């Protein structure tokens, strides 16, 4: 299978590979996929006090398109709010990387990873706000 | 380090380049200066010359098998031979029974042929191999029934290179009067064949895995005791009615020459390839979490199939772009299934997704092996750094205990 230049670029020079502290209340972690399916994506986002995503990291086990999709997503989310990031659809990723039809599910996985990371951070906030309310 | 030709070919089980000696012989059968005649033309020297070359080639193929040249039927390749053998024998013997026994790790040319026969009302038993890829003879014996007419077991597996014990299987089928078909596409020149000692009744062969051309193959059809087949391609009655169609002299001559060379050079070649394969395996052996797929001893020297755990095969191939290998992982074929061969030998999905098949051959050099070791290690390290599974493994998390958000 031939890969697009964009996929190759992200694959060869993946952006924002790494790990953020998953216990940090400002960090949301989304882990999606399964080893049995041949793909597992972990996306982490960190928001600042203004609710803006200031950092994002990923690690991915999967094909080249899955790795490129997650690398691209870390670039797309930085500087955006959670609501803005929630608008990102797999089509944006697939179009940007010129993924062929058999590789669309890799971009779906990236969309799922974003949603999971947002959900994680919202859950953390809800828990924190909840406990603060009890304390006061 | 100057003579390396990039990319390096490490996929000799997929196909091989045609040996120069073979190409030279083939070229003599094409133009008007050469032997272009139709081997079936009995009325002039053009036909006689072509016929003589075809018969010499038949001899060469027969010799490698320990067979008689009258037992060789030309086909277009191993796929066609598998179809002719299994469909031909099963349908011809339909009054005796409708049960077929085969192995789950067979090539699709055998498995899909069996599926077709199932649609026609035949019953097929697909046996599980042992974890090392070999057939368990007790399981095999237990699967045979009074209405079993055909057994189809491959000689050398194309993915993991393991060699089945044909003599032991053939002894059982001969005693029971069951037809024994063998897909031997991967064996000529790599492991000795003797259809008499092995009691093989039908054997599928092709040229393109043995430094011959693509698009030509043969089926060995035993004469004593005589095995009868229902033809699958009808026409001018060539090949004793078993396979009609004008014989492709240049292809046949290519296959004959390729088999002659393979027969002659097998012993020396195997020693050389065994050393190269061991060098390759030694180059990986100190890496963590790597698994050899298939038995190391009962295996052709040119094959090394390794799973690099926590790294996905397709991305591994992508980062080894200077090396031509193949993967048992899903995504290479767009079928989204990991290798059925690795699943059949009991590998879990992760390991099946992480496998790479290196197959080395006549033109592989030590330099190429060393380059392959270095590039593979580099790629595995890079991808493990990218792999959340590798992180989890290093944190001591048992991946089997994790509940995955499957999609
Ligand atoms: C074991 C086995 N059987 C059959 C085939 C099909 O052979 P051919 O390409 O000659 O049809 C192959 C090669 O792909 C093979 O490895
Ligand atoms: S992760 Fe399976 S095709 Fe991309």
């Amino acid at each position: 299978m031939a890969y697009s230049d964009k996929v190759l670029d992200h694959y060869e020079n993946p952006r924002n590979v790494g790990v953020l502290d998953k216990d940090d209340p400002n960090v949301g972690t989304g882990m999606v996929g399964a080893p049995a399916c041949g793909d597992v994506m972990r996306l982490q986002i960190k928001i600042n006090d203004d609710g803006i995503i200031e950092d994002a990291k990923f690690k991915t086990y999967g094909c080249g398109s899955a790795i490129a999709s997650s690398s691209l997503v870390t670039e797309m989310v930085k500087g955006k709010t959670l609501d803005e990031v929630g608008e990102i659809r797999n089509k944006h990723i697939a179009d940007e990387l010129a993924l062929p039809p058999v590789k669309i599910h890799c971009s779906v996985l990236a969309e799922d990873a974003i949603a999971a990371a947002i959900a994680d951070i919202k859950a953390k906030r809800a828990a924190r706000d909840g406990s603060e309310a009890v304390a006061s | 380090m100057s003579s390396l030709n990039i990319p390096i070919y490490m996929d000799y089980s997929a196909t091989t380049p045609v040996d120069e000696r073979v190409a030279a012989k083939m070229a003599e059968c094409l133009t008007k200066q050469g032997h272009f005649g139709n081997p079936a033309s009995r009325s002039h020297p053009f036909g006689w010359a072509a016929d003589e070359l075809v018969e010499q080639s038949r001899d060469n193929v027969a010799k490698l098998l320990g067979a008689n040249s009258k037992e060789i039927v030309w086909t277009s390749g191993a796929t066609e031979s598998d179809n002719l053998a299994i469909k031909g024998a099963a349908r011809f013997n339909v009054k005796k029974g409708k049960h077929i026994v085969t192995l789950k790790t067979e090539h699709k040319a055998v498995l899909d042929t069996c599926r077709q026969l199932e649609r026609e009302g035949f019953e097929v038993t697909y046996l599980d191999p042992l974890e090392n890829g070999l057939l368990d003879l007790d399981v095999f014996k237990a699967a045979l029934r009074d209405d079993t007419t055909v057994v189809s077991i491959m000689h050398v597996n194309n993915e993991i290179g393991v060699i089945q014990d044909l003599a032991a299987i053939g002894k059982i089928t001969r005693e029971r009067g069951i037809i024994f078909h063998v897909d031997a596409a991967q064996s000529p020149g790599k492991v000795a064949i003797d259809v008499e000692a092995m009691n093989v009744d039908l054997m599928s062969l092709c040229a393109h895995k043995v430094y011959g051309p693509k698009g030509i193959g043969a089926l060995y059809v035993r004469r004593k005791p005589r095995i009868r087949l229902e033809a699958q391609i009808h026409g001018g009655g060539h090949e004793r009615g078993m396979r009609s169609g004008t014989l492709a002299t240049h292809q046949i001559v290519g296959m004959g020459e390729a088999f002659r060379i393979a027969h002659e050079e097998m012993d020396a070649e195997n020693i050389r390839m065994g050393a190269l394969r061991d060098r390759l395996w030694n180059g990986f052996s100190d890496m963590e979490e790597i698994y050899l797929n298939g038995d190391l001893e009962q295996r052709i020297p040119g094959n090394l199939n390794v799973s690099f755990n926590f790294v996905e095969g397709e991305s591994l191939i992508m980062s080894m772009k200077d090396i031509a290998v193949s993967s048992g992982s899903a995504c290479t074929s767009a079928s989204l299934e990991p290798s059925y061969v690795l699943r059949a030998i009991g590998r879990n999905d992760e390991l099946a997704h992480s496998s790479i098949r290196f197959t080395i051959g006549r033109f592989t050099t030590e330099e190429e092996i060393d380059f392959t070791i270095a590039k593979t290690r580099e790629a595995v390290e890079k991808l493990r750094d990218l792999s959340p599974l590798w992180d989890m493994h290093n944190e001591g998390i048992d991946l089997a205990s994790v509940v995955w958000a499957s999609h």
Side-chain angles (χ1 to χ4, degrees):
Chain A
M1 160 149 355
Y3 295 94
S4 71
D5 289 345
K6 285 241 170 88
V7 169
L8 285 174
D9 178 37
H10 276 279
Y11 179 74
E12 267 156 27
N13 312 293
R15 332 285 202 261
N16 306 307
V17 176
V19 189
L20 298 173
D21 176 9
K22 66 178 186 314
D23 298 323
D24 181 335
N26 291 324
V27 169
T29 301
M31 178 127 100
V32 293
C37 307
D39 38 39
V40 175
M41 208 176 265
R42 184 177 65 202
L43 175 69
Q44 296 187 299
I45 52 179
K46 181 172 187 174
I47 53 174
N48 64 19
D49 296 338
D50 302 326
I52 307 278
I53 296 174
E54 58 171 27
D55 201 5
K57 297 275 186 216
F58 85 96
K59 283 207 180 187
T60 291
Y61 161 88
C63 76
S65 304
I67 290 172
S69 295
S70 31
S71 167
L72 174 68
V73 159
T74 58
E75 283 191 325
M76 288 170 91
V77 299
K78 276 198 209 177
K80 294 202 172 79
T81 65
L82 290 185
D83 286 344
E84 285 166 347
V85 162
E87 300 288 303
I88 298 174
R89 289 291 163 266
N90 82 287
K91 188 175 182 322
H92 304 139
I93 302 161
D95 287 352
E96 176 69 21
L97 294 174
L99 296 181
V102 292
K103 294 293 173 183
I104 297 299
H105 82 267
C106 319
S107 64
V108 172
L109 203 62
E111 181 187 320
D112 291 350
I114 299 174
I118 295 175
D120 183 49
I121 216 164
K122 286 192 171 159
K124 276 184 182 168
R125 302 228 134 169
R128 187 193 60 189
D129 294 348
S131 56
E132 271 172 8
V134 172
S136 60
Chain B
M1 292 296 287
S2 52
S3 59
L4 274 183
N5 281 320
I6 307 271
I8 289 169
Y9 194 68
M10 289 272 169
D11 206 11
Y12 281 84
S13 281
T15 195
T16 56
V18 172
D19 191 296
E20 317 272 345
R21 293 168 285 183
V22 170
K25 291 259 179 193
M26 291 177 69
E28 291 166 11
C29 304
L30 291 166
T31 63
K32 73 177 188 306
Q33 285 81 26
H35 310 289
F36 69 89
N38 185 332
S41 296
R42 302 275 182 240
S43 49
H44 51 69
F46 296 92
W48 303 335
D51 182 57
E52 197 181 319
L53 289 172
V54 165
E55 294 315 313
Q56 271 171 17
S57 305
R58 213 188 285 278
D59 266 347
N60 286 340
V61 171
K63 269 204 197 98
L64 188 142
L65 306 185
N68 186 299
S69 63
K70 294 197 179 72
E71 298 174 305
I72 303 298
V73 173
W74 300 115
T75 66
S76 64
T79 299
E80 186 190 329
S81 298
D82 287 340
N83 274 265
L84 173 57
I86 301 171
K87 288 178 187 164
R91 289 174 182 162
F92 189 90
N93 290 288
V94 70
K95 290 211 176 69
K96 277 195 211 151
K98 299 182 93 175
H99 182 232
I100 298 164
V101 174
T102 187
L103 198 58
K104 284 193 182 156
T105 48
E106 292 291 316
H107 191 270
K108 289 284 184 194
V110 167
L111 294 176
D112 270 24
T113 299
C114 287
R115 290 268 179 249
Q116 174 58 28
L117 288 170
E118 281 184 285
R119 285 190 283 274
E120 293 171 18
F122 287 86
E123 213 185 306
V124 182
T125 301
Y126 301 90
L127 296 173
D128 280 306
L130 295 165
E131 253 182 53
N132 59 8
L134 297 173
L135 174 64
D136 181 332
L137 291 175
D138 291 328
V139 169
F140 173 64
K141 270 189 235 162
L144 300 177
R145 309 192 317 214
D146 289 342
D147 63 340
T148 307
T149 53
V150 180
V151 159
S152 183
I153 303 288
M154 72 200 315
H155 194 194
V156 172
N157 183 274
N158 44 302
E159 279 193 37
I160 53 180
V162 299
I163 306 165
Q164 301 293 346
D165 186 351
L166 297 187
I169 300 165
K171 189 161 174 288
I172 299 166
T173 48
R174 181 57 54 87
E175 273 166 14
R176 309 253 327 217
I178 297 168
I179 296 172
F180 181 25
H181 167 249
V182 174
D183 179 343
Q186 295 283 352
S187 18
K190 297 175 193 122
V191 47
I193 299 174
D194 181 341
V195 288
E196 286 311 320
M198 293 167 166
N199 286 311
V200 171
D201 297 314
L202 296 163
M203 183 175 268
S204 300
L205 302 160
C206 67
H208 74 97
K209 316 273 188 191
V210 203
Y211 313 95
K214 295 166 189 53
I216 181 74
L219 180 66
Y220 159 80
V221 184
R222 174 175 290 283
R223 278 164 61 99
K224 280 187 208 136
R226 184 163 172 220
I227 301 298
R228 302 184 61 191
L229 301 175
E230 193 187 283
Q232 305 298 311
I233 294 184
H234 302 91
H238 307 75
E239 302 296 282
R240 286 169 289 121
M242 278 187 267
R243 206 286 192 176
S244 290
T246 298
L247 294 176
T249 314
H250 63 299
Q251 299 286 83
I252 290 169
V253 163
M255 179 155 176
E257 181 65 1
F259 272 55
R260 185 192 66 75
I261 295 170
H263 192 39
E264 229 173 78
E265 302 185 352
M266 181 172 92
D267 292 340
E269 198 157 46
N270 271 345
I271 293 172
R272 201 181 74 84
M273 298 219 293
L276 290 175
R277 199 264 316 276
D278 292 345
R279 188 181 182 94
L280 184 60
W281 182 226
N282 286 335
F284 298 143
S285 54
D286 63 317
M287 294 172 80
E288 273 180 82
E289 285 291 325
I290 65 166
Y291 299 86
L292 179 72
N293 297 310
D295 199 84
L296 185 58
E297 300 306 322
Q298 287 301 319
R299 185 191 199 97
I300 55 163
N303 175 294
L304 193 69
N305 188 313
V306 188
S307 288
F308 299 91
N309 207 2
F310 312 119
V311 170
E312 191 273 337
E314 185 186 340
S315 55
L316 188 51
I317 283 188
M318 198 170 159
S319 44
M320 291 163 55
K321 62 178 181 322
D322 292 337
I323 302 160
V325 290
S326 77
S327 164
S329 177
C331 304
T332 41
S333 62
S335 70
L336 298 178
E337 288 293 326
S339 154
Y340 67 89
V341 171
L342 296 183
R343 295 296 286 124
I345 63 168
R347 285 301 191 211
N348 64 26
D349 283 330
E350 282 116 284
L351 286 179
H353 274 299
S354 303
S355 72
I356 298 284
R357 179 186 74 177
F358 302 88
T359 45
I360 58 190
R362 187 170 288 167
F363 308 109
T364 307
T365 64
E366 228 170 61
E367 238 182 333
E368 290 179 340
I369 295 285
D370 293 344
F371 183 82
T372 301
I373 294 169
K375 285 286 166 188
T376 307
R377 295 186 70 115
E378 206 176 281
V380 170
E381 269 167 40
K382 169 188 159 161
L383 289 168
R384 282 186 173 167
D385 282 344
L386 269 176
S387 168
L389 304 181
W390 180 242
D391 278 355
M392 293 166 80
H393 167 72
N394 287 330
E395 287 162 22
I397 298 171
D398 175 13
L399 296 182
S401 70
V402 178
V403 181
W404 298 99
S406 276
H407 56 116

